[in-house]
Amino acid sequence: MALRPVQVNIKAVDALAVGRFWAEALGWTAYRPGVTTYVGPAGGLVWPDPVALGIDVVPVPEPKSATKNRVHLDLATTSADHQAELVARLRAAGATPVDVGQGDVPWTVLADPEGNEFCVLEPREVYRDTGPIAAVVVDCVDPRAMARFWGAATDWTPHEVTDDQATLRSAAGTGPYLEFLRSPDGKTVPDRVHLDLLPYPGDDKAAEVHRLRALGATDLDLGQGDVPWTCLSDPEGHEFCVLARS
């Protein structure tokens, strides 16, 4: 039994505009199948079995707080020219430079039009085959504990686990990495960005949710009401959702 991450959920006041920005960032297409704006590879939606880790932009009335998001995306590039071109293109599309204390580093830190931070990485061999999203990065207090929880929750395999950083990737060796970086600051505000997980065909959602609770997840009430998905928090309080197969 396992769950697989299928989309990154981003909250936005103007979900369509933010969705279009991320489509530009990733070279993908923004779809609006309902209230939310989904960003995925061209060719139409492939739900409920997406072939890539997409982005689902959900409209909310509250703007982002000044607090840095504890979950962000790293974007992959293939050359120094590609990195420079992507940064310039995204700034033209509404991204702004952000100082999160990164100092003099080879990557560029930007924020999308509603302030969600992300990084445009310099070329790295480890990310050469991830697609446009190199990694989903999570700030946490204990990377080892987070790797244990998320490794058990999903079918993703640990690649590096230290006191400062833990890295997981799909057992198939495809798509982006899930990375946990040690941060001394605990979580103080609800996550603006989180992961959505989906059971594999034939697996029971209720059983999977029960398994996650046994691993240390806790139930979460965001005022979601009666919905087909289940909202949970991981052991450090990061929100995530277990979706129902349609």
Side-chain angles (χ1 to χ4, degrees):
M1 296 176 68
L3 293 155
R4 57 185 178 128
V6 290
Q7 61 190 26
V8 178
N9 185 296
I10 299 177
K11 297 180 177 67
V13 175
D14 189 340
L16 182 58
V18 171
R20 286 171 174 164
F21 171 85
W22 280 102
E24 174 70 17
L26 302 174
W28 287 353
T29 302
Y31 309 90
R32 201 159 196 185
V35 174
T36 69
T37 301
Y38 184 82
V39 180
L45 291 172
V46 287
W47 196 257
D49 289 302
V51 296
L53 185 71
I55 293 178
D56 195 38
V57 187
V58 178
V60 295
E62 307 86 5
K64 179 182 178 293
S65 72
T67 303
K68 174 183 174 290
N69 286 341
R70 289 180 65 78
V71 181
H72 73 266
L73 297 182
D74 282 352
L75 305 189
T77 62
T78 57
S79 67
D81 287 344
H82 180 206
Q83 182 186 16
E85 182 276 329
L86 182 57
V87 169
R89 181 158 50 84
L90 294 182
R91 292 190 65 174
T96 53
V98 177
D99 185 352
V100 293
Q102 68 268 24
D104 184 16
V105 293
W107 60 88
T108 301
V109 184
L110 300 172
D112 73 15
E114 292 202 6
N116 298 297
E117 303 88 357
F118 65 98
C119 298
V120 180
L121 302 180
E122 77 285 3
R124 300 185 193 181
E125 179 63 20
V126 68
Y127 300 133
R128 64 180 175 79
D129 62 350
T130 61
I133 301 176
V136 179
V137 184
V138 182
D139 293 343
C140 65
V141 175
D142 188 344
R144 290 185 184 275
M146 291 288 277
R148 285 194 296 270
F149 172 82
W150 283 93
T154 69
D155 67 347
W156 287 27
T157 303
H159 282 249
E160 175 187 3
V161 179
T162 70
D163 290 341
D164 292 323
Q165 178 175 343
T167 302
L168 308 177
R169 196 184 191 193
S170 166
T174 58
Y177 288 80
L178 178 59
E179 299 180 353
F180 301 98
L181 300 182
R182 186 170 67 85
S183 170
D185 302 320
K187 185 171 178 290
T188 59
V189 298
D191 289 327
R192 196 78 175 175
V193 180
H194 71 254
L195 280 172
D196 286 341
L197 312 181
L198 185 70
Y200 280 92
D203 286 349
D204 181 71
K205 173 178 170 287
E208 286 293 325
V209 169
H210 178 76
R211 186 176 65 86
L212 292 173
R213 293 187 184 117
L215 292 171
T218 54
D219 292 297
L220 179 66
D221 186 355
L222 298 171
Q224 65 268 21
D226 184 17
V227 293
W229 59 89
T230 301
C231 299
L232 299 169
S233 294
D234 72 16
E236 288 202 11
H238 297 95
E239 296 97 343
F240 67 97
C241 295
V242 179
L243 306 179
R245 297 187 63 83
S246 57

